[in-house]
Amino acid sequence: MIGGNGPNSYAMNSSNQRDGGLMACAVVKEVILKDSGLGRLSSGNPFRIADLGCSVGPNTFDAVDAVIEAVKLKLVNDDDAPPEFQVFLNDLPSNDFNTLLRSPRLMEGCGYFAAAVPGSCHGRLFPKSSLHLVHSFYALQWLSHVPKEVENETSRAWNKGKILSTRAPREVVEAYSAQFAADMERFLQARVEELVSGGLMSLLLPFQGEDDRPEDSFISQLLLLLESTLMVMVAQGKLDEHLVDSFNLPLHLPTRNEFETLVERNGCFAIDEIRMFVSSSKPVMTFDAGMLSNQVRAIVEGMMRKHFGGDEMIDEIVERHRVEIEEAAQMLKLKLAAKRNLFVIIKRKPH
């Protein structure tokens, strides 16, 4: 994600993610308020919350504030004094933690003690049985890396002319699905160690309906337009064909069944709540192609810059992508009005 607070930053281009996150926060509050034991899990110690894949910007603080508000209300209802709260903000080491930690929302009086924890959420990050609640919003659809066979020209899963698994050959789709399964198994096993008995995880990510075509999702449509942009630039001699053939995004949208199967296979969690919901957004009414293009840029520019070059090339790709979005406005409005989200709350079974 692009750091800082500039016009191209993730902080300034993540309103779509905020829409779904706020809806999920309302459900988290409901679950916490009805949970008979969550509020007492800390037993006089700090109540510890981890945001895995926090990125940069206000969205992470919305989620943290919602959880703390609910826990405090739960304890007041139970005539218990609220504990102190400790919040861990996690993302990859390349994340702009400096901007995140300078946020006015982390100044004195925010109501909790905050710390940055760089590292991959697909492995251990915290001591054993140290966390009471983990949440991860719009992070788990990103794989730890592109499947190796997808980048191997001699493999049947070589993803020539494409940048993701959407509309790709079966071997490519299977490679992405297998990588997602491997990543989720590592993610869940790490949380098995880190969560206390009865601790909760709230997870939110875009998903694919069991009967949907992969290209039916809003995010897939935006990225297919980016794929089209790159291939047009290849045809016009603006980009090297092999360079585009070797560029792939580590993104996988699971089905509900795929996700549930992985949780059940782990065996240490019980699904407390699972909902599929649609999150709408203001661009449905105004439809700003430039804003949507910038939102994609905020997420993938780092990967594109590393692969295709510096500012001038990136600027041209983004502008061409904006034009493609504008031309596909009517189709995208329908997809944008029906962004599908999978929201799951799972509880750590007794150790």
Side-chain angles (χ1 to χ4, degrees), residues 166-188:
T166 305
R167 293 180 180 169
R170 175 177 55 83
E171 291 83 0
V172 175
V173 176
E174 290 174 350
Y176 270 86
S177 183
Q179 186 61 54
F180 178 79
D183 285 347
M184 277 301 303
E185 287 171 2
R186 292 173 56 215
F187 174 88
L188 291 170

Side-chain angles (χ1 to χ4, degrees), residues 156-322:
R156 295 184 65 180
W158 166 242
N159 205 22
K160 180 177 175 59
K162 300 183 180 299
I163 66 172
L164 63 163
S165 62
T166 305
R167 293 180 180 169
R170 175 177 55 83
E171 291 83 0
V172 175
V173 176
E174 290 174 350
Y176 270 86
S177 183
Q179 186 61 54
F180 178 79
D183 285 347
M184 277 301 303
E185 287 171 2
R186 292 173 56 215
F187 174 88
L188 291 170
Q189 190 55 41
R191 308 297 84 80
V192 165
E193 299 295 326
E194 296 166 352
L195 277 164
V196 301
S197 293
L200 294 181
M201 275 205 294
S202 59
L203 309 174
L204 174 67
L205 65 164
F207 81 107
Q208 175 187 331
E210 301 293 340
D211 298 322
D212 289 353
R213 299 174 303 170
E215 60 266 31
D216 286 338
S217 74
F218 176 68
I219 187 171
S220 292
Q221 286 293 345
L222 279 181
L223 294 175
L224 283 171
L225 291 174
L226 177 61
E227 180 180 282
S228 173
T229 295
L230 296 176
M231 293 310 297
V232 168
M233 293 179 72
V234 167
Q236 295 176 347
K238 294 278 188 176
L239 284 174
D240 178 74
E241 182 176 11
H242 187 269
L243 202 60
V244 174
D245 287 342
S246 59
F247 179 67
N248 293 279
L249 296 175
L251 177 73
H252 177 73
L253 305 187
T255 65
R256 171 175 172 166
N257 182 63
E258 186 178 4
F259 195 92
E260 285 186 282
T261 297
L262 292 170
V263 173
E264 292 167 0
R265 183 186 301 168
N266 176 272
C268 294
F269 293 98
I271 295 178
D272 198 29
E273 190 89 26
I274 185 163
R275 299 189 186 184
M276 297 175 289
F277 64 86
V278 171
S279 61
S280 60
S281 185
K282 293 179 181 178
V284 175
M285 302 302 296
T286 59
F287 196 82
D288 187 333
M291 186 186 73
L292 292 173
S293 180
N294 278 339
Q295 288 179 345
V296 174
R297 178 178 192 162
I299 295 171
V300 304
E301 178 177 311
M303 290 177 274
M304 290 199 302
R305 184 178 296 277
K306 182 178 180 180
H307 205 81
F308 297 118
D311 293 341
E312 186 174 340
M313 180 59 70
I314 297 300
D315 287 343
E316 181 171 355
I317 292 172
V318 170
E319 173 57 22
R320 285 170 173 260
H321 187 218
R322 183 198 65 77

